[in-house]
Amino acid sequence: MSAAPTSDAPAANADSPTLGDHIARQLLRLGAVVGLKDADAALYAELLVTSLGNASQRLLSQPPPSPSFISDDHTPVEFSLSLRPHAAPVLRVLAEPGCAAEDMAANGHQGLLAIRDMARRWDISTAQLDRLEDLFFPPSAQGPLALWYALELRPGGVPGMKIYLNPAASGPQQATATVQKALHRLGHRQALAALPDTAAYPFLALDLGTWEAPRVKVYTTHPGLSAAEACALNRAQPGPAPADIAAFFRIAAGAGLPAGVRNEPETRLDRRPALACHSFTEQSTDRPSGFTLHIPVRDYVRDDDESLTRADALLTHFGVDPSVLGDALSALTTRPLSDGVGLISYLALAHERDRQPRITAYLSSEAYAVRPGHGHTPPRPSTPP
């Protein structure tokens, strides 16, 4: 696989910054935090800006190019840090290349063009994505997204690529059938039956390019989740220890003690719902090889200072040095963490077969707005049945 040529990142304009200026500066600073070489970080920054097309040239004083679902302030970019014990932090970026399109059908078309351009650059096959094009890109596409891509920003200038698709593109009532057809075409014919019950299928994701074990990932939505129910969601074998899932849930959600301890009722996530993700790598068994639980921490804290406190506690619990996350937040913004909420949008516990669990923190760019913090609002306990 050939690496792309190196290039300088876009020049920033301090007097009238554009979206491209803003996200390029953030990526360069984050690259320094995780130890990427300057040339690699500059290449990835240029690629990110280019993939957004004309949207990257819009001034930040203008409204966002669209109500992008990626972030609360509609910035069409999100960063994340994947952290595990005794390993270098991994920086990733998520983007919506069709964010400036006039409708979802055009959004998807522009996204496909951007993905295929990147795939040619790195000699990455899009065969898996091509098999699904008619399912996820109908003429009258619906929903909050058409196509997102994520890049795992690896040393050497050749990233790992992931594609995120909308199972409800032909309407919410078709989402289950769309997931089933997609899994069948990708060789996972019995995979849907292995998944937990869900309120919705928000995403189906594909690994493209060089991965140790390329995955097909199915995301499910779980309103009102408790710690015990979170443990029961896992279908991966072997999966994460229930004690790890419960500890993650309680720390990330601020849920406190287990149900029944000191007669406290069980705490549930009654605002933005949790997401689960099951990954499939083996067609012979159609049992999930991985499980991830995502907690929307921004909806269960007072401000980002509290979010960072929870994230630090999580990382420490799972044997990870928490200092890199604080450095990453400083690379994104100079605002006091107590001045807003959402800089850390989600915290996730991910488990893949034969690997240590990892914690992922999803980080908002905040190109357009800072979501105001609010009074201390811990999750509301549910009424015992």
Side-chain angles (χ1 to χ4, degrees):
M1 183 175 296
S2 60
T6 60
S7 173
D8 291 331
N13 184 338
D15 295 327
S16 56
T18 64
L19 174 61
D21 295 332
H22 180 80
I23 59 177
R25 287 197 297 264
Q26 288 180 320
L27 192 152
L28 291 172
R29 291 194 294 260
L30 287 169
V33 168
V34 301
L36 275 179
K37 291 183 178 179
D38 291 346
D40 291 341
L43 170 64
Y44 290 136
E46 180 188 38
L47 176 70
L48 173 61
V49 170
T50 300
S51 75
L52 296 180
N54 292 335
S56 66
Q57 302 306 312
R58 291 173 62 91
L59 298 177
L60 291 185
S61 56
Q62 298 175 287
S66 70
S68 179
F69 178 53
I70 283 183
S71 59
D72 290 339
D73 75 329
H74 307 310
T75 305
V77 170
E78 178 188 69
F79 300 99
S80 61
L81 279 179
S82 180
L83 304 160
R84 57 164 41 104
H86 314 299
V90 176
L91 174 63
R92 302 180 301 196
V93 61
L94 177 72
E96 183 174 7
C99 62
E102 64 273 13
D103 56 35
M104 276 296 139
N107 184 310
H109 177 69
Q110 291 182 21
L112 286 171
L113 290 177
I115 293 306
R116 287 170 177 150
D117 181 61
M118 286 189 281
R120 285 190 295 270
R121 176 187 289 253
W122 287 297
D123 193 25
I124 292 173
S125 171
T126 61
Q128 297 279 73
L129 177 61
D130 298 340
R131 292 189 185 101
L132 308 181
E133 185 170 347
D134 64 307
L135 294 177
F136 291 93
F137 302 97
S140 300
Q142 303 179 37
L145 75 145
L147 181 151
W148 297 345
Y149 75 82
L151 298 181
E152 184 175 283
L153 306 184
R154 300 169 178 171
V158 180
M161 182 184 293
K162 309 174 189 180
I163 307 300
Y164 294 81
L165 304 171
N166 175 23
S170 294
Q173 71 282 1
Q174 297 298 321
T176 301
T178 296
V179 170
Q180 186 171 27
K181 290 176 184 177
L183 291 169
H184 190 277
R185 291 186 191 182
L186 297 171
H188 300 283
R189 291 174 173 79
Q190 304 301 319
L192 188 68
L195 296 174
D197 292 339
T198 179
Y201 294 100
F203 314 109
L204 184 141
L206 305 171
D207 287 347
L208 302 182
T210 303
W211 296 86
E212 184 175 330
R215 300 160 298 174
V216 178
K217 301 192 295 181
V218 182
Y219 289 74
T220 51
T221 302
H222 302 279
L225 196 69
S226 69
E229 291 168 346
C231 295
L233 288 176
N234 170 51
R235 299 294 188 271
Q237 296 296 331
D244 284 345
I245 298 175
F248 168 78
F249 182 98
R250 293 192 176 101
I251 296 172
L257 297 171
V261 177
R262 298 181 184 173
N263 297 317
E264 291 188 9
E266 188 170 31
T267 300
R268 295 182 179 275
L269 299 183
D270 59 357
R271 299 185 187 93
R272 197 184 309 251
L275 300 178
C277 172
H278 285 86
S279 56
F280 297 87
T281 57
E282 299 174 5
Q283 298 177 359
S284 59
T285 65
D286 270 336
R287 297 296 302 178
S289 60
F291 170 76
T292 303
L293 180 65
H294 301 258
I295 300 293
V297 64
R298 66 192 184 279
D299 287 279
Y300 299 95
V301 294
R302 176 183 57 250
D303 52 34
D304 283 310
D305 196 33
E306 188 174 356
S307 293
L308 180 58
T309 297
R310 293 191 191 176
D312 284 352
L314 271 177
L315 293 168
T316 301
H317 178 86
F318 285 94
V320 180
D321 179 2
S323 63
V324 67
L325 180 56
D327 292 342
L329 297 185
S330 297
L332 286 172
T333 184
T334 58
R335 73 164 175 84
L337 295 182
S338 58
D339 281 359
V341 65
L343 191 61
I344 303 177
S345 59
Y346 278 86
L347 292 168
L349 171 67
H351 183 279
E352 291 287 340
R353 187 177 300 159
D354 301 324
R355 292 190 176 187
Q356 290 178 302
R358 70 178 186 271
I359 299 295
T360 301
Y362 294 82
L363 311 177
S364 300
S365 172
E366 294 188 337
Y368 294 102
V370 175
R371 182 180 172 188
H374 40 73
H376 184 63
T377 53
R380 185 169 63 251
S382 63
T383 303

